[in-house]
Amino acid sequence: MKKLIFAFIAMFFVPVTQAASEFKEGVEYTVVSEIASSKREVTEFFSYICPHCYSFQPLMQQLEERVPEAEINKVPVGFLGKELGPVLQRAYGAAKLLKVEDKLTPVMFDRIHRQKKVPGSINDVKEVFVANGVDAKDFDGVINSFALNGMIAKYDRQTEQFNIRGTPTLIVRGKYQLNMSEIGSEDRFYRVVEYLLSAD
């Protein structure tokens, strides 16, 4: 199943005998900032509407299990899906504020990509939240809140800071961007991330 996932996002398989020290800048990863964060963190830029992001989620879940000490973050981009992009970006932020992201993200991906039920508005998003245990008043209290507006502004700044133009895009420690098409397999994906989490 994982091999199919990587094939779906246009990766090809190569031998996995290279040592971690052989991962090269400009090949498996690109340096996008001069200074790396001191935090062991991986940031995934994604969109609920992105089919590659949907297929990529099992690998991200496995990554969390492999590097439990690392902080795994998601940043929803607003530029995919035309007018739907900002709606889905806001939906993710609302789920974070309501502390239901772990529950609602799989639901949103499933509805859009498996059930083909794409929410067309904030009201549609609200229906999904309420159907999955979120109180309607709680949803209304956050969806246009100052806190959520601030989160959206931060998401947009991060998207612009790293010049994100496609998804999924992974940034490790704020310095290294994975070159997904050069990694080749799920095993190398995990090993490249682990290498960059400890890189100088």
Side-chain angles (χ1 to χ4, degrees):
M1 177 62 182
K2 290 181 180 177
K3 289 184 179 180
L4 291 175
I5 291 171
F6 264 79
F8 185 72
I9 59 175
M11 295 184 181
F12 57 90
F13 288 87
V14 297
V16 295
T17 56
Q18 289 181 313
S21 61
E22 294 183 355
F23 296 140
K24 299 282 195 304
E25 178 184 348
V27 182
E28 291 86 4
Y29 66 93
T30 300
V31 173
V32 293
S33 176
E34 293 184 4
I35 302 174
S37 169
S38 59
K39 296 190 340 184
R40 290 170 59 83
E41 60 181 352
V42 179
T43 301
E44 177 195 9
F45 290 84
F46 85 105
S47 171
Y48 285 138
I49 203 70
C50 166
H52 301 326
C53 299
Y54 170 59
S55 298
F56 199 64
Q57 293 315 292
L59 280 82
M60 291 302 296
Q61 292 167 7
Q62 181 65 26
L63 179 64
E64 290 191 52
E65 295 176 10
R66 286 182 63 122
V67 288
E69 76 285 358
E71 181 179 317
I72 309 295
N73 301 309
K74 287 183 178 293
V75 174
V77 303
F79 60 79
L80 292 178
K82 298 182 180 179
E83 66 277 1
L84 184 58
V87 171
L88 296 178
Q89 187 184 42
R90 190 165 288 272
Y92 178 80
K96 288 288 288 184
L97 283 176
L98 292 167
K99 303 185 185 308
V100 293
E101 185 271 333
D102 287 347
K103 179 179 181 179
L104 265 294
T105 285
V107 169
M108 293 294 290
F109 272 128
D110 185 79
R111 285 179 62 88
I112 292 171
H113 298 285
R114 192 178 66 83
Q115 301 180 42
K116 308 302 181 185
K117 297 179 180 178
V118 181
S121 67
I122 288 295
N123 285 336
D124 292 342
V125 170
K126 179 179 178 178
E127 290 179 7
V128 175
F129 275 57
V130 171
N132 286 274
V134 174
D135 187 276
K137 291 182 179 179
D138 291 339
F139 180 89
D140 291 340
V142 304
I143 197 61
N144 290 307
S145 66
F146 179 81
L148 183 51
N149 289 337
M151 289 174 68
I152 298 298
K154 181 179 179 180
Y155 294 150
D156 289 340
R157 285 196 304 272
Q158 290 175 297
T159 300
E160 186 62 27
Q161 174 188 354
F162 292 107
N163 194 32
I164 304 301
R165 295 294 179 263
T167 55
T169 295
L170 265 68
I171 306 291
V172 180
R173 294 174 55 219
K175 180 175 181 177
Y176 308 104
Q177 178 176 323
L178 269 64
N179 297 332
M180 306 300 287
S181 63
E182 298 296 330
I183 291 174
S185 73
E186 65 271 16
D187 179 69
R188 280 173 59 81
F189 165 70
Y190 301 131
R191 292 196 294 118
V192 171
V193 173
E194 290 167 347
Y195 168 65
L196 295 176
L197 283 171
S198 299
D200 293 332

